[in-house]
Amino acid sequence: MSLNVINTKKAKEMLIYVANEIIDSKPLLTEIDSKIGDGDHGIGMSGGLKKAKEKLMAYEETSNVYDVFSLTGKTMLMSMGGASGVIFGSLFLAGAKNVSPKEELNTRDVTEMFDKGLQAIKERGKAEVGDKTMVDALEPAVKAMKSYEDNNLLEMFKLAESAAQEGVENTKNYIAKYGRAKSLMERAIGYQDAGATSVWIIFKSMREFIEND
Amino acid sequence: MKEIINDPENIISEVMDGFISAYSYLYEKVPEVNGILLKERRKDKVTLVIGGGSGHEPMFGGFVGEGLADAAACGNIFASPDPNTIYETAKSAHAGKGVLFLYGCYAGDNLNFDMAEEMLQDEGIKTAHIRVWDDCASAPIERIEDRRGIAGDVFMVKIAGAACDAGLSLEEVVLVLENARNNLRSIGIATKPGKIPGLEKPTFELKDNEMEFGMGLHGEPGIQRTQMKPADELVEILYGHITKDMPLISGDNVCILVNGLGSTTIIEMSIVFRKVRQLLESDGIQIHDADINSYCTSLGMGGFSISILKLDSELKKYYNSPCYCPYYAKQQR
């Protein structure tokens, strides 16, 4: 029986699961990033999520489920540095900001949270789909979630995951507008973006957690 | 490649510990974050805070000192410091007349410094920033704001430190630095990759007989990869790029920096400077001051860059004021 709502306890378990998956993906992300970037995306992401995991483990659950996402985002933002610290921190932080506390989130709440995260990231980073950034995976994932009308978390995350995965594939066709790959111009074509790959891993992990629960 | 480290995870904290304690007569650490602070806080002046990723030593941490920066916020290897590190560093250094942030123009730095400024402004602290974009190989002049900051940072910190020490307001310091930035260009070549501690592979690959023009400090691709050439030919090409971008005319006064990227020797850089001087002389341009050193490095990368700062009377005044830090010092002139 999979979940239809996420409460604070489940959100905490889910984000710890996501953190573990990102930490395990460090070599993969490093490998992808070294092709066209510094090669430090894996180090940054796994370092930030290691810190977030420590905070989550020590976190005393409150009734507001958004606090778990805020804590994760804030920890990443305040510890990672680099562009990915701000961007991935905002993914979890911005969506949980200025919202009334809730004990559990349904598909609509989760969608709204990630949509707000996406908007904040686009505003801060000024990236659009096609710029070879994490937005290439995040925006299609959020679109897929928005188009889903039922209240089944697993089905929604499945759609988001496959949209994110397709977004990662699409980054191979783009030239980069940000980061070290920017100066590669068309030489960046053929390589996937590391940030988009992280987004896909995050959605894949959330889907797995819900599926296995 | 061999490197003298312990656990890659502890690199930055061990660097902070060693570096700050070695120069404890000058520096102290900002509690809780990787910030380097001038011990003797100066008052009645704009606070100059510089920073960026680690791996370019002595830039940025080594440029805290008299006539230079008040503090430096240090990130992980090649990664911008996080907003909290920048915020705490600036807050510890702030002396009441506002904070000027000076850093290289990179996506991560721009995002993190912007957030830190918002945090400080929320507390009523006045802030401004100057992004250094001297690397003329990294984007065409129409998109100058997309250019990266490289060794020209040295001249910018020098001028900024002097302007802040002169007691100018935040708005006035910004104007001086915009003028400095407009009159500053750099370009370099890479001959050998550096290496990020803890990662297996070098930052890029370059064959033994190859070099690349305009390669960035983190191994960002440059504008042309060719066979290695004699020093004079390299300098002619680099000089040509700079003077096409920022024309120099007979009678101009300039400061020159030949900056090594980490593993290039002073022998090699002196030969480079010799040719730069010859070219400037033949164009009727006067050298006000010059430096041959490795200030803005990239973890042992081979190669060098040439930076030219064109002086007017304002910039000359600030350039001529004295400064001191363990890695860079100028006498009053």
Side-chain angles (χ1 to χ4, degrees), chain A residues 84-209:
Chain A
S84 36
V86 176
I87 298 297
F88 281 89
S90 299
L91 174 63
F92 294 109
L93 189 59
K97 216 170 152 182
N98 303 327
V99 280
S100 334
K102 275 203 165 179
E103 285 187 19
E104 43 186 40
L105 305 180
N106 60 22
T107 49
R108 192 148 304 172
D109 300 321
V110 174
T111 301
E112 215 166 276
M113 185 170 63
F114 280 104
D115 190 26
K116 281 172 71 184
L118 169 70
Q119 299 316 324
I121 287 165
K122 287 177 76 175
E123 198 181 314
R124 205 164 262 289
K126 311 270 180 257
E128 297 290 334
V129 166
D131 290 342
K132 209 178 182 97
T133 70
M134 61 86 83
V135 172
D136 291 324
L138 184 58
E139 185 157 302
V142 169
K143 260 193 190 149
M145 291 163 89
K146 278 171 132 173
S147 70
Y148 184 72
E149 306 219 324
D150 288 339
N151 194 28
N152 181 322
L153 279 170
L154 178 60
E155 287 309 311
M156 184 187 70
F157 276 130
K158 274 185 180 166
L159 290 175
E161 178 195 351
S162 84
Q165 192 172 15
E166 203 182 315
V168 172
E169 276 305 307
N170 287 340
T171 62
K172 291 180 182 169
N173 305 321
Y174 304 145
I175 61 172
K177 212 180 141 196
Y178 295 93
R180 190 183 134 188
K182 181 173 78 172
S183 44
L184 277 171
M185 302 304 288
E186 52 285 328
R187 280 185 285 167
I189 290 173
Y191 299 99
Q192 74 196 62
D193 179 66
T197 309
S198 283
V199 171
W200 166 65
I201 294 170
I202 290 168
F203 279 101
K204 179 178 83 81
S205 308
M206 292 193 295
R207 188 266 300 158
E208 283 173 0
F209 176 83

Side-chain angles (χ1 to χ4, degrees), chain A residues 78 81-82 86 124 180 184, chain B residues 9 80 82 112 118 146 220-221:
Chain A
M78 291 309 185
V86 176
R124 205 164 262 289
R180 190 183 134 188
L184 277 171
Chain B
E9 292 223 349
S80 157
D82 59 77
N112 286 284
E118 288 165 23
D146 281 344
E220 297 97 330

Side-chain angles (χ1 to χ4, degrees), chain A residues 14-76:
Chain A
M14 180 172 82
L15 289 174
I16 291 172
Y17 185 89
V18 169
N20 285 332
E21 291 297 302
I22 288 280
I23 294 165
D24 288 349
S25 308
K26 180 174 160 181
L28 169 75
L29 292 172
T30 300
E31 168 78 25
I32 291 167
D33 191 36
S34 350
K35 297 266 199 307
I36 51 172
D38 283 352
D40 65 355
H41 184 70
I43 300 175
M45 288 297 287
S46 66
L49 281 154
K50 222 174 184 174
K51 288 248 163 63
K53 186 181 153 184
E54 281 163 21
K55 292 260 182 182
L56 285 166
M57 307 271 263
Y59 178 68
E60 296 279 335
E61 286 157 34
T62 66
S63 57
N64 182 11
V65 55
Y66 286 116
D67 287 346
V68 186
F69 291 93
S70 299
L71 177 73
T72 305
K74 200 164 179 197
T75 308
M76 291 174 75

